[in-house]
Amino acid sequence: TPDPTRIECDAHTGQVVGIAFSPDSKWAYTASHDGQVKRWPIGGDGKSPAAAWPEKPANSKGRHRSGLAYWPGSEEAYWSQVESAAKTEMAKYAAVIHLRTPGADGGYNHQNILRTESAAEALVIDIKIEKIWSPHPNYIQIPNFNNFFEKAVFALDRIEALLVQ
């Protein structure tokens, strides 16, 4: 019997930090610290993405609004660099699911070699991501759990609720 709290996915090599859905609800997009954004068919096998863009990191030109959280310059300079606008990028997503980063006391560690920032630096990025995405009408924040799989199940419950609307 499959364990409902376990999700197996070997498509990303880094922690998944964002999930977004296409306006037609046919695709889910995941962004990861491995620098990739992947597209998944809703109702697919859940194990392999329909398409991947490994040639550009998630915060590259036009790839992901969350790139602004890592941008060292001004917001205006970011949108100029990616040749887009905040409203344009926001409108691309039917919903935004924000998985909150755990603090140092809540499980944040460096077991994932792609996580090079400290817990304090990760918190700053997480707050920036909240500021960037929270204006979205379907912004859903997933709190931290001590167990990542409990967090994933909680997120999937919220995703399912969105899909049945």
Side-chain angles (χ1 to χ4, degrees):
T1 306
D3 180 349
T5 64
R6 183 169 172 84
I7 299 169
E8 292 190 25
C9 172
D10 59 0
H12 282 292
T13 58
Q15 180 179 6
V16 173
V17 295
I19 302 172
F21 299 94
S22 65
D24 63 6
S25 299
K26 291 182 180 179
W27 301 97
Y29 298 84
T30 55
S32 169
H33 276 293
D34 62 9
Q36 296 187 30
V37 174
K38 299 192 179 205
R39 183 176 72 162
W40 304 80
I42 301 290
D45 67 6
K47 293 186 179 181
S48 57
W53 299 289
E55 72 278 3
K56 292 196 175 196
N59 62 349
S60 288
K61 182 176 177 179
R63 290 290 182 217
H64 202 290
R65 183 178 164 92
S66 294
L68 180 57
Y70 300 89
W71 184 255
S74 71
E75 185 171 340
E76 294 76 21
Y78 177 79
W79 293 119
S80 174
Q81 179 69 28
V82 299
E83 300 174 357
S84 189
K87 274 187 167 182
T88 301
E89 295 301 313
M90 185 79 72
K92 291 180 180 179
Y93 302 96
V96 176
I97 313 271
H98 176 189
L99 280 70
R100 295 306 306 248
T101 299
D105 60 344
Y108 186 90
N109 57 50
H110 286 102
Q111 290 176 348
N112 179 340
I113 61 170
L114 297 173
R115 296 287 319 236
T116 58
E117 68 273 1
S118 69
E121 291 166 328
L123 178 60
V124 168
I125 292 167
D126 195 53
I127 290 168
K128 287 180 181 179
I129 289 171
E130 177 183 22
K131 180 182 175 204
I132 291 164
W133 285 110
S134 62
H136 193 284
N138 287 319
Y139 171 78
I140 298 173
Q141 195 176 100
I142 307 299
N144 186 43
F145 285 73
N146 289 330
N147 178 304
F148 179 77
F149 293 109
E150 290 174 12
K151 183 178 184 178
V153 168
F154 186 85
L156 289 172
D157 286 344
R158 299 314 174 272
I159 293 167
E160 182 179 23
L162 281 170
L163 294 175
V164 296
Q165 286 182 357

